[in-house]
């Protein structure tokens, strides 16, 4: 007997694996068993898009020493631009999620990439610190915020009802893959040809992704007559949501009245402080302080990117099977321990203990994202993408503070040692915070979980 629904999907929708529809007889049955669900193609497009946009994430740590040497700007001033960038990256994310509901994923992402290209390209003409704050801080920060993890969360929520943890892990790992691809190249360009050609490379990489997004990315399964992966019924495309900014703020006001929001935001702020704010921004100059060449230090960050892909995808797989709170506690505890050992490992050459740290830290880099997003879904249901956007804002505020304060500490004390130790202690606090997040029972209605 063939299962039917009230809504009629477009052509070919009944052949989507995981759709719940009975296969057609004969040869059609064989094709339906082997055909890949359209959702996976959308996930691949999203993955490649995030990789292409990740070039801008690789550059700030490489700019600190060259800008200091050329313009005489303090590391605190340069760190302030990175701080604004990271803060806007987070504060824009929840509004970007709402704008995607209003205008569609393709339009928002295409505009964001164009803004990134503009901001990065304009830096080659800057001569004053305020121009760095404007171009790299404001423009690239706004553009990158619209390409933040809220993008991955929106795609996952629309196109998947099963395997959400795994898909979240894969899309989160895309940023690290982009870092892996671009960081060695950009460090070589900075070393051999100065920082301006590297900024132009970032600009061109962002522009190159725009037509790819516009032609291949789709906003909703209903646009192609398909069902979300794992859904048993066809899901009509919802009407555009008006009042995106108002809805984003309303969701925030609702979420801040709940305890889990503050615990999730607090742990994720520490996550950002110990990754984007600390290691991504200050590892290269800190290693250079100990005599390590910039290209070697940048290559170590790229290796972090390799193992981050493995760790994040594995974390997504674990999140589908284990308690997210306990996963978060383990991740933060291990990260804190590793940071306490880092000051003893920095040296002019790469040695086995440093490689062990890089592998260990890479596996834990953003492994926190899948369980954090799973807890947002559990606690906040259909508002989870926007709530996660605000939680991500706290992640970037934590990163912004450490990006700035790390530079100030280096100017004041002549080393980064104190920053490593304080970050390790904060990770221990985050592990305890994760354990006290209360579980919320989930009532399942069809394919949708309603908390």
């Amino acid at each position: 007997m063939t299962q039917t629904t009230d809504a009629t999907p477009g052509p070919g929708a009944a052949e989507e694996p995981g759709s719940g529809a009975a296969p057609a007889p004969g040869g059609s049955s064989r094709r339906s068993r082997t055909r890949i669900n359209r959702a996976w193609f959308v996930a691949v497009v999203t993955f490649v898009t995030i990789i292409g946009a990740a070039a801008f994430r690789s550059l700030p740590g490489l700019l600190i020493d060259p800008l200091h040497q050329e313009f005489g700007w303090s590391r605190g001033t340069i760190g302030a631009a990175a701080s604004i960038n990271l803060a806007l990256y987070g504060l824009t994310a929840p509004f970007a999620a709402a704008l995607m509901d209003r205008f569609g994923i393709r339009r928002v992402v295409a505009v964001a990439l164009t803004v990134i290209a503009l901001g990065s390209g304009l830096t080659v003409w800057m001569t004053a610190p305020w121009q760095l704050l404007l171009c790299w801080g404001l423009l690239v920060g706004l553009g990158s915020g619209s390409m933040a993890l809220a993008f991955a969360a929106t795609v996952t929520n629309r196109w998947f009802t099963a395997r959400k943890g795994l898909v979240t892990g894969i899309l989160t790992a895309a940023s690290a893959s982009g870092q892996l691809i671009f960081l060695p190249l950009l460090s070589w360009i900075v070393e051999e040809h100065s920082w301006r050609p590297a900024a132009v490379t970032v600009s061109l990489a962002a522009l190159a992704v725009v037509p790819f997004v516009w032609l291949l990315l789709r906003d909703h399964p209903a646009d192609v007559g398909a069902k979300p992966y794992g859904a048993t019924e066809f899901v009509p495309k919802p009407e555009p949501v008006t009042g995106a900014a108002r809805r984003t703020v309303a969701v925030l006001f609702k979420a801040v009245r709940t305890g889990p929001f503050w615990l999730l935001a607090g742990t994720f702020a520490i996550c950002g402080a110990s990754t984007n704010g600390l290691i991504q921004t200050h590892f290269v100059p800190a290693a250079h302080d100990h005599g390590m060449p910039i290209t070697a230090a940048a290559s170590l960050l790229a290796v972090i990117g390799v193992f981050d892909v493995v760790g994040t995808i594995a974390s997504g797989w674990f999140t589908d099977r284990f308690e997210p709170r306990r996963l978060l506690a383990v991740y933060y505890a291990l990260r804190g321990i590793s940071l306490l050992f880092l000051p003893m490992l920095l040296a002019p050459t790469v040695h086995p203990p440093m490689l062990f740290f890089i592998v260990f830290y890479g596996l834990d880099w953003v492994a926190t994202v899948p369980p954090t997003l799973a807890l947002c879904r559990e606690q906040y249901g259909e508002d989870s993408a926007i709530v996660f956007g605000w939680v991500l804002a706290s992640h970037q505020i934590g990163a912004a503070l450490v990006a700035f304060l790390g530079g100030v500490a280096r100017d004041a004390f002549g080393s980064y040692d104190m920053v490593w130790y304080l970050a390790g202690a904060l990770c221990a606090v985050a592990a305890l915070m994760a354990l006290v997040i209360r579980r919320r029972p989930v009532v399942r209605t069809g394919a949708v979980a309603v908390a």
Side-chain angles (χ1 to χ4, degrees), residues 184-195 197 294-295:
L185 172 63
L186 293 176
S187 65
W188 177 82
I189 294 174
V190 170
E191 190 85 359
E192 298 295 327
H193 303 286
S194 184
W195 60 271
I294 290 177
T295 51

Side-chain angles (χ1 to χ4, degrees), residues 199-369:
V200 172
T201 301
V202 170
S203 180
L204 294 177
L207 280 178
V209 180
V210 174
F212 187 75
V213 168
W214 194 257
L215 294 174
L216 299 178
L217 193 63
R218 293 295 180 267
D219 293 331
H220 194 276
D223 290 340
V224 291
K227 303 174 185 178
Y229 180 82
T232 58
E233 296 181 355
F234 181 78
V235 179
K237 183 176 181 178
E239 293 295 324
V241 179
T242 58
R246 184 167 58 252
R247 181 188 173 207
T248 301
V249 175
V251 169
L252 173 64
F253 285 158
K254 181 179 178 182
V256 296
R257 294 195 291 268
T258 65
F261 174 82
W262 292 104
L263 292 170
L264 289 168
T267 56
F268 225 39
I270 293 172
C271 178
S274 56
T275 53
N276 302 77
L278 183 59
I279 296 295
Q280 187 166 325
T281 304
H282 294 293
F283 177 81
V284 171
H288 191 56
D289 284 346
H290 288 76
M292 184 180 293
I294 290 177
T295 51
S299 297
L300 289 177
L301 278 185
V303 174
I304 285 180
V306 176
F307 287 94
D308 177 42
V309 174
V310 177
T312 308
I313 293 175
S315 178
W317 187 87
F318 290 142
T319 302
D320 286 332
R321 291 161 176 80
F322 300 105
E323 168 58 54
R325 297 176 307 158
R326 295 179 182 177
L327 289 175
L328 284 179
V330 171
Y331 295 157
Y332 285 121
L334 293 176
R335 183 182 300 179
I337 292 171
S338 66
L339 283 172
L340 295 178
F341 285 96
L342 181 57
M344 297 178 285
L345 302 178
L346 292 170
T349 59
V350 179
H351 49 89
M354 172 58 77
L355 288 176
F356 179 80
F357 169 84
I358 292 297
V359 172
F360 191 87
Y361 209 83
L363 291 172
D364 198 8
W365 182 262
V366 286
T368 54
V369 172

Side-chain angles (χ1 to χ4, degrees), residues 367-383:
T368 54
V369 172
T372 299
L373 184 50
L375 288 170
C376 285
R377 292 195 192 103
E378 176 185 297
Q379 296 287 337
Y380 303 105
E382 63 182 9
D383 292 330

Side-chain angles (χ1 to χ4, degrees), residues 118-126 131-132 135-136 195-196 199-200:
L118 178 64
S120 181
L122 289 176
T123 58
V124 300
W125 291 288
M126 67 183 180
Q131 295 166 343
L132 176 66
C135 295
W136 198 261
W195 60 271
R196 287 181 176 84
V200 172

Side-chain angles (χ1 to χ4, degrees), residues 377-383 440-451:
R377 292 195 192 103
E378 176 185 297
Q379 296 287 337
Y380 303 105
E382 63 182 9
D383 292 330
R440 184 174 180 180
V442 177
V443 178
R444 297 195 174 274
T445 304
V448 181
V450 181

